[in-house]
């Protein structure tokens, strides 16, 4: 569906198909736009829930930010519409589904698959940061897989245009860098930290600072209590990259363009992404 901003979409423009997934705020369905036969994903959100959680402004910001982003590793948000009780997001359909399910199934990824995903995420984040957009919520649940196996960052519900925005903590702490956990100023380097957490989880199947209690995860993050388990066996190049990203001082984290030149990425990432 071409994003003709003026076009007023309604539910009647779509044939609704199977449910694709269930998010916190609503369900996602496969759908086909009747005139073009274009396949999309339709996320249905209940206005009552959005009002209850006071996130309408975040949703508006997501739609605004996403309308300017065009990148092969960023899931398109073509537009939205609403009726009496619901808001509908018209999204690009990711044919191979949710990455977190794939990670649960495989337990952990090979170094080649992990490096290919990390490189494509780094390219997408370089693009976002170039437009002063920080995602701030990079985690497996927000990653989808396209028809050719390529990774797509989705759900910019937490992204911001400007820097140092406060945010209410919700969902898992695992991916938050120290500066966000300590709610101090933060900048685009927060996404580098989260990408480092993600790289660790791709290779070991669990995030690096996971703990039973919230308070323990909090302490492990702010102390950067980074340990590499003996199993599965992971190359020292991969550990070196992760150690350069999970650095407390955000200005000392490996810049994303340097990440793309790191030996582990050069040796393992599939150039096509
Ligand atoms: N196979 C698939 N192919 C395509 N999509 C799929 N699932 C949907 C992925 C999403 C993309 N973008 C999203 N955005 C939001 O959910 N935004 C959102 C929602 C509630 C509140 C808020 C806010 F108000 F808090 F910001 C923001 S969900 C699947 Br499964």
């Amino acid at each position: 569906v071409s994003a003709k901003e003026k076009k007023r979409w309604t539910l009647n423009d779509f044939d609704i198909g199977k449910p694709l997934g269930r998010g916190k705020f609503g369900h996602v369905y496969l759908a086909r736009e009747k005139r073009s036969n274009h396949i999309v994903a339709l996320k249905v959100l209940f206005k009552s829930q959005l009002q209850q959680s006071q996130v309408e402004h975040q949703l508006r910001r997501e739609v605004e930010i996403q309308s300017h982003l065009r990148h092969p590793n960023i899931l398109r948000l073509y537009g939205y519409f609403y009726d009496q009780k619901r808001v509908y997001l018209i999204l690009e359909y990711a044919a191979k589904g949710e990455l977190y399910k794939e990670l649960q199934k495989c337990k952990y990824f090979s170094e080649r698959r992990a490096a290919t995903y990390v490189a494509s995420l780094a390219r997408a984040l370089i693009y976002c940061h170039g437009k002063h957009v920080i995602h701030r919520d990079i985690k497996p649940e927000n990653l989808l897989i396209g028809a050719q196996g390529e990774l797509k960052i989705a759900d910019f519900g937490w992204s911001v245009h400007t820097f140092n925005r406060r945010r209410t903590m919700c969902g898992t702490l695992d991916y938050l860098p120290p500066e966000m956990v300590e709610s101090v100023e933060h900048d685009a380097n927060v996404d580098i930290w989260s990408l480092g957490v993600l790289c660790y989880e791709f290779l070991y199947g669990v995030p690096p600072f996971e703990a039973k209690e919230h308070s323990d995860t909090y302490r492990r993050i702010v102390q950067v209590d980074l340990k590499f388990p003996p199993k599965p066996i992971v190359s020292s190049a991969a550990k070196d990259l992760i150690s350069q990203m999970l650095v407390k001082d955000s200005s000392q984290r490996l810049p994303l363009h340097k990440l793309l030149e790191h030996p582990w990425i050069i040796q393992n990432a599939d150039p096509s992404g």
Side-chain angles (χ1 to χ4, degrees):
V1 297
S2 66
K4 290 190 197 62
E5 273 68 28
K6 310 292 159 287
K7 167 85 189 159
R8 274 268 153 274
W9 295 104
T10 73
L11 202 48
N12 294 331
D13 292 318
F14 300 92
D15 288 319
I16 307 299
K18 66 174 181 176
L20 290 174
R22 257 188 308 289
K24 204 174 27 201
F25 285 81
H27 295 190
V28 189
Y29 298 89
L30 192 59
R32 181 180 49 220
E33 200 277 317
K34 289 172 181 169
R35 246 180 302 287
S36 64
N37 276 333
H38 193 106
I39 297 292
V40 295
L42 208 56
K43 176 139 189 184
V44 184
L45 304 166
F46 287 93
K47 284 184 178 175
S48 56
Q49 270 196 330
L50 295 172
Q51 278 145 9
Q52 236 164 20
S53 320
Q54 286 136 22
V55 290
E56 298 98 314
H57 67 286
Q58 274 179 240
L59 189 56
R60 262 191 286 280
R61 188 164 59 217
E62 173 180 5
V63 172
E64 155 63 25
I65 285 175
Q66 276 268 40
S67 61
H68 297 96
L69 299 179
R70 300 279 187 285
H71 188 278
N73 299 111
I74 294 176
L75 194 84
R76 284 289 310 281
L77 192 159
Y78 298 118
Y80 72 101
F81 58 94
Y82 47 84
D83 59 23
Q84 189 61 22
K85 292 167 48 185
R86 289 167 285 260
V87 177
Y88 303 84
L89 300 180
I90 309 168
L91 298 158
E92 173 188 357
Y93 170 54
K96 289 197 171 156
E98 297 168 283
L99 180 102
Y100 85 91
K101 285 185 179 167
E102 183 64 19
L103 185 54
Q104 275 170 352
K105 202 171 76 179
C106 306
K107 217 161 146 347
Y108 47 81
F109 294 144
S110 70
E111 298 211 18
R112 290 184 57 75
R113 183 169 187 182
T116 303
Y117 284 160
V118 168
S120 53
L121 286 172
R123 285 194 297 274
L125 290 172
I126 289 169
Y127 171 82
C128 288
H129 295 173
K131 288 178 169 279
H132 301 299
V133 172
I134 40 181
H135 187 279
R136 301 197 313 173
D137 204 11
I138 299 291
K139 57 186 179 188
E141 291 75 9
N142 288 343
L143 302 175
L144 297 171
I145 306 173
Q148 274 72 40
E150 75 279 20
L151 210 54
K152 301 227 176 218
I153 301 180
D155 197 343
F156 281 69
W158 287 104
S159 58
V160 284
H161 247 138
T162 52
F163 299 105
N164 55 53
R165 279 292 179 99
R166 292 186 60 75
R167 82 179 215 167
T168 49
M169 294 300 160
C170 85
T172 172
L173 278 176
D174 282 312
Y175 297 82
L176 293 185
E179 63 272 25
M180 284 188 88
V181 162
E182 294 169 322
S183 329
V184 299
E185 294 254 304
H186 58 268
D187 57 18
N189 295 332
V190 301
D191 286 338
I192 299 173
W193 173 280
S194 302
L195 186 54
V197 171
L198 205 59
C199 184
Y200 182 105
E201 182 166 2
F202 284 164
L203 292 168
Y204 291 102
V206 291
F209 308 113
E210 194 172 60
K212 267 190 308 308
E213 301 300 325
H214 238 150
S215 54
D216 296 329
T217 304
Y218 175 102
R219 187 176 327 105
R220 293 198 63 200
I221 291 170
V222 296
Q223 286 171 359
V224 193
D225 173 23
L226 178 61
K227 296 183 197 112
F228 296 107
K231 289 281 178 205
I233 297 187
V234 169
S235 68
S236 50
K239 293 176 191 169
D240 174 74
L241 175 60
I242 291 168
S243 306
Q244 292 194 59
M245 299 173 81
L246 300 183
V247 173
K248 178 147 182 140
D249 178 349
S250 67
S251 66
Q252 298 307 305
R253 288 172 199 156
L254 187 69
L256 290 169
H257 66 278
K258 285 263 191 280
L259 174 150
L260 292 174
E261 296 158 8
H262 188 280
W264 184 68
I265 295 288
I266 299 291
Q267 285 151 26
N268 290 282
D270 172 351
S272 71

